[in-house]
Amino acid sequence: MDRVFKAVYFSATGTTKKVVEYVAQSVAESFGKSAQVIDFTLPQNREAPLVFEKNDVVFFGTPVIAGRVPNVLLPFLRTVQGGGATAVVIALYGNRNYDDALIEQRDLLENAGMKVVAGGAFIGEHSFSTVLGAGRPDEKDMEIARGFADRIAGLLKHELPEEQLYISGSSPQTVYYQPRDRKGNPIDIRKVKPKVSDKCIKCGHCAEICPMGSIDPEDVTQYRGICIKCCACIKGCPRGARYYDDPGYLYHKTELEEMYTRRAEPELFF
């Protein structure tokens, strides 16, 4: 079979992109090829379904939000046409837990008609923080990603197993992770949006990189859609002009940083 390798991902702050592209390119190179990149982060790249064919090897990745695949992506991902392609699923989480996200990716792609043969949960710097998972994926993570790629290349050179790949998590998926305070009361930050300081020079970069297309390019202090708390606009602002000041958001951010400062390690499934 003349395989075609594809790195396919949603990556608001670049951590998912880094791992997915690296693994895909590493595997492709072992077959003397290079991987095509399909980045569906921006809204205009989700206007048509993703369509794959039997000879495709798809390295599919999303970040983890509330322990799951970002729910705003589900309508789009349910239109994927798998065409019998082979797939590897990759989830990037911010040092807390990937919960059901990786197994949810597996289920979505299998329902689309793809064969999932491997999965990996990797750690990236948390979207809310520069402390939690700071600088990750780092050199050690990428060494693990290289070993992951080597094992996948070995799998592809043999007949693929017929049984479903085991991945940690619940199928069907459980509820989304709910932030809570120290008394166990829920913290609802779904409608919270970043503020804009007087450092802003109205360059419009935040509007260009918002994966929901929610920042008004004519007035970047205004929103025309939902905010998924990916923090692409905050981490991508060249002036450091965007920030959150909501008490619930700041409390949850502090709790995460205090509770999950240990070094989580990638988990791989074959």
Side-chain angles (χ1 to χ4, degrees), residues 242-260:
R242 302 186 79 89
Y243 65 98
Y244 285 102
D245 65 356
D246 178 77
Y249 174 95
L250 296 176
Y251 178 90
H252 178 47
K253 173 180 177 291
T254 299
E255 284 282 89
L256 288 171
E257 290 175 345
E258 290 178 352
M259 294 173 64
Y260 298 103

Side-chain angles (χ1 to χ4, degrees), residues 15-79:
T15 55
T16 304
K17 166 187 168 73
K18 182 176 179 179
V19 175
V20 174
E21 286 193 2
Y22 181 77
V23 174
Q25 294 290 2
S26 297
V27 175
E29 286 171 6
S30 71
F31 287 84
K33 297 187 176 183
S34 60
Q36 301 174 15
V37 172
I38 301 174
D39 179 352
F40 62 91
T41 305
L42 296 178
Q44 59 266 32
N45 295 336
R46 301 193 297 272
E47 293 176 354
L50 297 172
V51 180
F52 302 106
E53 299 178 352
K54 190 172 180 60
N55 62 333
D56 288 337
V57 181
V58 178
F59 296 83
F60 176 88
T62 70
V64 177
I65 296 182
R68 300 274 299 275
V69 172
N71 63 0
V72 293
L73 297 180
L74 295 179
F76 172 69
L77 295 179
R78 287 171 181 150
T79 68

Side-chain angles (χ1 to χ4, degrees), residues 86-160:
T86 301
V88 173
V89 289
I90 296 172
L92 264 285
Y93 70 100
N95 215 56
R96 184 191 67 80
N97 203 309
Y98 61 94
D99 294 334
D100 289 348
L102 196 61
I103 199 169
E104 185 174 19
Q105 290 181 356
R106 183 202 69 183
D107 292 351
L108 284 164
L109 297 192
E110 286 186 347
N111 288 339
M114 304 171 79
K115 173 63 177 175
V116 179
V117 297
F122 287 83
I123 297 83
E125 184 172 288
H126 198 288
S127 59
F128 292 5
S129 177
T130 56
V131 175
L132 199 60
R136 300 185 69 185
D138 58 18
E139 185 176 348
K140 183 179 177 183
D141 293 316
M142 300 313 288
E143 289 176 1
I144 294 171
R146 179 69 214 199
F148 184 48
D150 290 344
R151 287 196 62 181
I152 293 166
L155 277 174
L156 295 176
K157 291 172 182 176
H158 298 87
E159 187 172 347
L160 298 177

